Amino acid sequence: MGIWQGRSRRKRTGGRLRLARKKRRFEIGRELQTATLGPGTVKTYRVRGAAMKLRILTAQTINVFDPASGKMQAARIVTVRENPANPNYVQRNIITKGAILETELGLVRVRSRPGQDGVLNGIRVAAAPG
C-alpha cells in the first residue's frame, strides 16, 4: 500500500470533506528506511524540483559536539541507549533524531535527521542517574 501525504477527506470536526480532485503523484510519500548501526552507507534520492537528498542507511560514527570545550569531534557508536520515537528501536539499534547513543566519548543525543540530512550530528549529554 502506498503512502499518501495529501489532504485528509475528513474535517477537523469529523465531518466528510468532498475533494474536487483525485490524488496526485506529487502527494505520494516514500517508504520508511531507518538508519541503523553498521558500516557507513548513504543513499541519495530525488525530491521535488529535481533536488537530491541524502539518507543514512547504516552508520558507525557520529560527529559529537562537546558544549564544555566547544569542540566537535568524530566518535565511534557503541549502541543505542534510548529512543523516544519508539522503544522498540533500542533493541533494533535504529537511529533517529532525539535518540541517545552510547559512544566512545560518552552519551550523545542525536541532533540531525539521518533520514534527510545524510549526516549524523549529536551533542554530548550528562550521564543519566541510575
Side-chain angles (χ1 to χ4, degrees):
M1 186 171 127
I3 299 169
W4 181 60
Q5 294 180 333
R7 189 170 174 190
S8 172
R9 296 208 166 150
R10 290 283 171 181
K11 299 179 188 177
R12 198 176 342 169
T13 58
R16 188 170 168 197
L17 190 64
R18 297 181 186 268
L19 300 179
R21 63 177 179 83
K22 295 182 178 179
K23 296 178 181 180
R24 300 288 192 254
R25 189 182 184 285
F26 61 81
E27 295 172 341
I28 294 173
R30 286 187 168 71
E31 288 187 30
L32 186 65
Q33 289 181 316
T34 54
T36 58
L37 283 181
T41 358
V42 179
K43 178 181 180 180
T44 61
Y45 62 102
R46 182 188 182 275
V47 293
R48 189 153 186 206
M52 300 301 279
K53 280 190 180 179
L54 299 173
R55 175 176 288 148
I56 293 179
L57 299 179
T58 57
Q60 57 187 2
T61 60
I62 182 171
N63 301 320
V64 180
F65 176 74
D66 188 5
S69 65
K71 295 192 176 185
M72 192 92 149
Q73 68 184 70
R76 192 179 59 81
I77 301 171
V78 178
T79 187
V80 177
R81 274 289 187 88
E82 291 178 40
N83 200 325
N86 188 339
N88 188 28
Y89 284 180
V90 177
Q91 296 165 353
R92 295 164 57 195
N93 277 332
I94 292 178
I95 304 166
T96 59
K97 181 177 177 179
I100 306 287
L101 308 179
E102 185 180 333
T103 66
E104 313 171 309
L105 302 175
L107 294 182
V108 174
R109 172 172 277 121
V110 178
R111 299 306 302 154
S112 61
R113 299 172 72 185
Q116 296 202 27
D117 298 340
V119 68
L120 201 54
N121 293 331
I123 188 166
R124 196 160 174 212
V125 295

